[in-house]
Amino acid sequence: MKERKFARQGAYIASRREEKGLSVAELADQIGIAPFFIKRWEKGVSLPDDESFPRLAEALDEPMLSLFTGTPIQPGAEEDTARAVWKAKAETGRRKNVTKNAALFCAAMLSLFLILMDIVQYRQLNRAVRGLEDTWGIDLSENMTKEFAISNQDFLGEGETFYLFAGDGGGAFYLNFKEGPSAEAESLMYSFLHSLSVPPEYLPDFSHPYLWQIVDGNDERDQMVCFFDLETEQYYFIEEFY
């Protein structure tokens, strides 16, 4: 079980919600996110993102600094401090991403020969990554990182692609997801994977609780199925184009 790093903040959010007489669903509706996120915050798994955080403070009529620290604080000048802390936190995350990307770029340059040998597949995967956002209307958060990908798409873009991501997808990402288990979604995934050799360690474990979504493409035959493992906090995207 993952350590709950934000247990104090989560308990404080839950207590303020209950004091306001709001259910999880009612609070989620006011903020404009899925109830799943409220539950994660209250369990101490994560904190709200920089877009949801001020909305939560407004809905609970609570200073941002109180929610950020999990400690009652009188409203006033401290609110500006909270915004500054939250902005600094977001900026630090962006800088870490830049540093990580720079390190990956340097490693890629040192492996130039391998990249040249694999240039066709590299281009195909990059085209498929853009397709996740452009074709399916999915906004991949900067906090998400790709852990594995494999594709057999040809130069016309026909075929299958499998992706494994980890990180935080952001509030709006989950709005159309449904709670598992889903025999339909699992069956669709395996039908897409019939021609892809995905190592077993990268496949989703459907014994874990998960969220899922099936998305249709512009061509009625094109489809994508998404899974979010609630235990490992990993995302699986499997798409098929005709």
Side-chain angles (χ1 to χ4, degrees):
M1 179 66 67
K2 184 175 292 187
E3 180 182 357
R4 305 306 188 190
K5 297 188 296 184
F6 308 107
R8 184 177 69 254
Q9 292 92 329
Y12 190 77
I13 291 172
S15 66
R16 291 296 296 128
R17 174 181 60 77
E18 292 170 356
E19 289 176 11
K20 296 285 288 185
L22 295 171
S23 67
V24 169
E26 289 170 337
L27 179 58
D29 185 62
Q30 287 191 26
I31 299 175
I33 60 174
F36 161 74
F37 283 100
I38 304 297
K39 295 177 183 178
R40 281 169 58 84
W41 301 342
E42 294 188 354
K43 288 179 180 178
V45 175
S46 65
L47 289 176
D49 58 28
D50 52 359
E51 182 177 344
S52 301
F53 194 77
R55 296 178 182 175
L56 176 65
E58 182 179 359
L60 295 179
D61 192 23
E62 187 75 8
M64 291 176 63
L65 190 56
S66 297
L67 299 177
F68 186 73
T69 61
T71 304
I73 295 176
Q74 294 298 321
E78 294 86 353
E79 194 72 357
D80 293 333
T81 302
R83 294 181 184 276
V85 170
W86 193 254
K87 182 178 180 180
K89 176 179 177 293
E91 182 62 28
T92 298
R94 283 192 289 270
R95 288 175 180 172
K96 288 181 178 179
N97 283 335
V98 171
T99 301
K100 181 178 180 180
N101 290 337
L104 290 174
F105 175 77
C106 291
M109 293 300 294
L110 292 174
S111 305
L112 182 58
F113 175 75
L114 293 178
I115 292 176
L116 291 174
M117 293 293 292
D118 201 33
I119 191 66
V120 173
Q121 182 181 12
Y122 177 78
R123 288 175 177 172
Q124 290 174 346
L125 289 177
N126 272 350
R127 184 170 66 249
V129 167
R130 289 194 299 269
L132 283 175
E133 296 188 335
D134 299 337
T135 303
W136 308 109
I138 292 178
D139 182 14
L140 296 181
S141 167
E142 64 179 16
N143 296 321
M144 293 175 65
T145 56
K146 187 175 68 176
E147 296 191 337
F148 178 78
I150 188 170
S151 176
N152 65 2
Q153 289 188 12
D154 58 26
F155 286 102
L156 296 177
E158 297 178 350
E160 296 78 29
T161 304
F162 174 89
Y163 297 98
L164 171 60
F165 288 86
D168 185 359
F173 184 74
Y174 300 92
L175 291 181
N176 296 320
F177 274 56
K178 303 174 184 177
E179 293 188 8
S182 169
E184 177 190 8
E186 293 179 24
S187 175
L188 187 61
M189 183 203 75
Y190 286 119
S191 71
F192 288 174
L193 292 179
H194 71 279
S195 61
L196 290 175
S197 300
V198 180
E201 63 268 25
Y202 294 121
L203 292 173
D205 185 344
F206 290 124
S207 67
H208 296 170
Y210 63 85
L211 303 178
W212 62 276
Q213 180 185 16
I214 297 175
V215 184
D216 295 323
N218 293 328
D219 186 318
E220 61 182 13
R221 298 176 300 173
D222 298 339
Q223 281 188 310
M224 180 180 70
V225 58
C226 318
F227 297 94
F228 174 57
D229 189 317
L230 295 170
E231 186 170 317
T232 64
E233 298 187 357
Q234 292 177 308
Y235 307 81
Y236 302 84
F237 300 93
I238 308 94
E239 60 181 5
E240 183 172 53
F241 289 98
Y242 287 91

